[in-house]
Amino acid sequence: KLSLSYEASLKKLHSKPNYQLASISGDFYYTPHSRHTWRGYGFVGMSWDNPPLYKYFNQGRPEYFIGADYDQLLCKRINLARLEYRWNFKKNIFFHLIFNHAFDMHYSLPGRNYKWNDMSGWGIGVTLLSPVGPLKITYGNGDKKFLGLRGRRDHLYFVLGYCF
C-alpha cells in the first residue's frame, strides 16, 4: 500500500494559520513461505511554515514504531523505516520480531526549533487469534529520549480486537 498526502492552509486563501504538510508512506508485505511474512514500512513527512501542533505527524504508535511512547514521535518533519518478521507458529499463534529507526526529526515551539537525535527501537511479540479478535502483546525497547543524554526504556504494548 502506498499513500500520498498533501494539505495546505494558505494566506492567499485567507486561511489562518499558514502552513503546508506533505507525506508519503509505504506498507509492504512479502510472504516467501506460508509460515513466514516480512513487513516493510516507511514514512516521510515534511511541513513548511509553522503548522499548529495538532497537525504534526504522529508516528509514535506501536503499529508504526516499537520502543517509543504513544505520542513521543510527534514531529513537524520525520523519516521512519521499519522491518518486521512474522512467523506463523500454529494456526492461531504468530510470533513477531521488529526493528525500526526514525531520523531527521524536527519539532518547533514558539521561538525554538529542535532537531532531535535519531531514535531506534526493537521488539518481540506474540499474536493470539481469539473469538473476540486478535490479542497482540509486544515487548519493545527504544531510546528513552531524543535530546541530550540518552538511555533505553522498555515498553509493553497490549492490543485487543480489530481496528476500524
Side-chain angles (χ1 to χ4, degrees):
K1 175 175 119 175
L2 186 63
S3 300
L4 298 164
S5 173
Y6 176 77
E7 178 181 333
S9 176
L10 304 171
K11 283 184 182 178
K12 65 182 175 184
L13 298 174
H14 306 288
S15 297
K16 290 184 182 179
N18 182 38
Y19 67 90
Q20 296 177 64
L21 301 170
S23 67
I24 183 170
S25 65
D27 204 0
F28 304 100
Y29 293 84
Y30 174 64
T31 306
H33 185 273
S34 62
R35 293 182 165 277
H36 307 279
T37 301
W38 291 91
R39 175 189 177 214
Y41 173 76
F43 180 88
V44 175
M46 299 187 315
S47 67
W48 296 269
D49 301 317
N50 291 309
L53 183 62
Y54 66 88
K55 289 292 188 176
Y56 281 21
F57 302 107
N58 188 353
Q59 294 290 300
R61 291 176 167 46
E63 62 266 22
Y64 306 125
F65 195 92
I66 288 292
D69 287 336
Y70 271 79
D71 295 321
Q72 188 174 5
L73 292 181
L74 187 66
C75 306
K76 65 186 263 182
R77 182 168 149 186
I78 185 171
N79 297 320
L80 178 110
R82 173 182 172 131
L83 182 63
E84 179 174 349
Y85 168 73
R86 186 179 79 173
W87 175 45
N88 185 351
F89 176 65
K90 294 200 177 203
K91 182 179 177 183
N92 295 326
I93 302 171
F94 301 88
F95 291 101
H96 306 264
L97 183 59
I98 306 159
F99 298 97
N100 41 225
H101 190 78
F103 49 96
D104 195 26
M105 300 181 295
H106 294 260
Y107 182 89
S108 294
L109 292 173
R112 292 187 140 172
N113 287 317
Y114 297 99
K115 184 182 183 312
W116 296 342
N117 295 324
D118 293 357
M119 290 185 71
S120 62
W122 64 271
I124 55 173
V126 62
T127 299
L128 308 171
L129 300 182
S130 72
V132 295
L135 168 64
K136 187 172 185 178
I137 302 168
T138 308
Y139 164 80
N141 181 278
D143 291 318
K144 189 172 186 176
K145 53 187 185 173
F146 34 78
L147 291 172
L149 295 175
R150 312 214 329 171
R152 303 295 289 182
R153 178 173 33 191
D154 299 326
H155 295 272
L156 194 57
Y157 305 97
F158 294 95
V159 178
L160 176 62
Y162 295 100
C163 298
F164 294 95

